[in-house]
């Protein structure tokens, strides 16, 4: 069996609600709409079938919630996303082995509540965070509680690379431009 742990999804109505709530979403939302399997499960499953015995661990794609909305809205949308990903995993256990919960780390009390709820109540296999929190490094003292909790749970911690929405590093590689964070 193949298990892909780096697969992204916009579950349920999450993308629509995120788009309404995030005036700074910019063009990444438009680009993600072109990646059909991210929001269309029928197409995702069709593509998955070409690999035989293959399952996925799902998580949200960029952008980080911290970069596009305030703490209250981000926390609300993380909850919606986690509920929807848990539901998809329950409905499709032959396709999804689990999910990495989304958090909005602008309010660490709320983020910790959602971390515990996602792992204990929803069955998340871990969480996904990004390489910085709205430009702040992950080694700031206020984030230590998250790392301590993940160690206690012995759960997966996915650290997704990201650059600020207004900052993209481009490399010239064999006359092609490649985006890195």
């Amino acid at each position: 069996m193949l298990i892909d742990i780096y697969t992204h999804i916009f579950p349920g109505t999450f993308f629509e609600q995120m788009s309404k709530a995030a005036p700074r979403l910019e063009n990444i939302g438009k680009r993600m709409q072109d990646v059909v399997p991210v929001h269309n499960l029928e197409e995702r499953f069709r593509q998955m079938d070409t690999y035989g015995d293959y399952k996925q661990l799902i998580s949200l794609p960029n952008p980080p919630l911290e970069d596009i909305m305030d703490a209250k809205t981000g926390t609300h949308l993380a909850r919606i996303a986690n509920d929807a990903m848990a539901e998809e995993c329950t409905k499709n256990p032959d396709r999804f082995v689990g999910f990495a919960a989304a958090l909005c780390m602008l309010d660490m009390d709320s983020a910790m509540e959602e971390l515990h709820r996602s792992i204990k109540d929803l069955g998340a296999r871990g969480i996904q965070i990004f390489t910085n929190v709205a430009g702040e490094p992950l080694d700031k003292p206020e984030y230590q509680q998250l790392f301590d909790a993940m160690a206690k749970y012995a759960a997966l911690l996915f650290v997704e690379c990201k650059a600020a929405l207004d900052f993209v590093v481009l490399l010239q590689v064999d006359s092609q431009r490649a985006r890195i964070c």
Side-chain angles (χ1 to χ4, degrees), residues 125-174:
R125 299 290 183 117
I127 62 166
Q128 174 180 268
I129 61 174
F130 291 83
T131 51
N132 65 72
V133 179
E136 296 295 323
L138 291 174
D139 62 352
K140 291 185 80 173
E142 58 262 34
Y143 305 130
Q144 185 60 46
Q145 61 186 318
L146 178 138
F147 298 110
D148 293 343
M150 295 307 293
K152 179 182 170 194
Y153 284 122
L156 299 170
L157 175 61
F158 295 86
V159 181
E160 173 88 14
C161 182
K162 75 119 184 151
L165 290 177
D166 59 352
F167 178 78
V168 176
V169 178
L170 296 173
L171 293 178
Q172 196 72 29
V173 180
D174 296 329

Side-chain angles (χ1 to χ4, degrees), residues 17-26 63 65 68-69 73 77:
Q17 292 186 44
M18 179 184 70
S19 296
K20 288 179 184 175
R24 295 175 25 208
L25 189 58
E26 298 180 1
L65 297 174
I68 58 173
M69 58 194 62
T73 306
L77 284 176

Side-chain angles (χ1 to χ4, degrees):
M1 175 191 316
L2 296 172
I3 299 176
D4 188 343
I5 64 168
Y6 191 70
T7 58
H8 297 308
I9 187 171
F10 280 131
T13 64
F14 173 80
F15 182 79
E16 179 183 318
Q17 292 186 44
M18 179 184 70
S19 296
K20 288 179 184 175
R24 295 175 25 208
L25 189 58
E26 298 180 1
N27 71 355
I28 194 165
K30 292 175 189 165
R31 287 184 288 155
M32 291 307 296
Q33 285 298 98
D34 292 337
V35 184
V36 177
V38 170
H39 54 85
N40 180 315
L41 288 179
E42 186 176 305
E43 177 60 20
R44 177 183 290 257
F45 295 159
R46 187 191 68 71
Q47 290 182 12
M48 288 174 72
D49 288 342
T50 65
Y51 294 99
D53 192 13
Y54 170 77
K55 294 184 180 188
Q56 296 179 340
L57 188 138
I58 55 177
S59 60
L60 292 183
N62 270 307
L65 297 174
E66 297 91 354
D67 282 0
I68 58 173
M69 58 194 62
D70 62 54
K72 183 177 178 183
T73 306
T75 298
H76 173 71
L77 284 176
R79 188 176 184 95
I80 288 170
N82 295 333
D83 287 343
M85 287 189 288
E87 181 179 337
E88 289 302 335
C89 291
T90 299
K91 287 189 330 191
N92 299 289
D94 57 324
R95 302 291 187 163
F96 303 130
V97 296
F99 71 101
L103 299 178
C104 180
M105 293 175 49
L106 294 174
D107 172 355
M108 284 308 295
D109 289 339
S110 296
M112 293 305 295
E113 286 177 25
E114 186 60 15
L115 180 154
H116 296 303
R117 185 185 83 89
S118 294
I119 292 176
K120 288 182 186 175
D121 300 342
L122 300 179
R125 299 290 183 117
I127 62 166
Q128 174 180 268
I129 61 174
F130 291 83
T131 51
N132 65 72
V133 179
E136 296 295 323
L138 291 174
D139 62 352
K140 291 185 80 173
E142 58 262 34
Y143 305 130
Q144 185 60 46
Q145 61 186 318
L146 178 138
F147 298 110
D148 293 343
M150 295 307 293
K152 179 182 170 194
Y153 284 122
L156 299 170
L157 175 61
F158 295 86
V159 181
E160 173 88 14
C161 182
K162 75 119 184 151
L165 290 177
D166 59 352
F167 178 78
V168 176
V169 178
L170 296 173
L171 293 178
Q172 196 72 29
V173 180
D174 296 329
S175 75
Q176 299 290 321
R177 292 184 118 188
R179 176 183 173 158
I180 64 169
C181 49

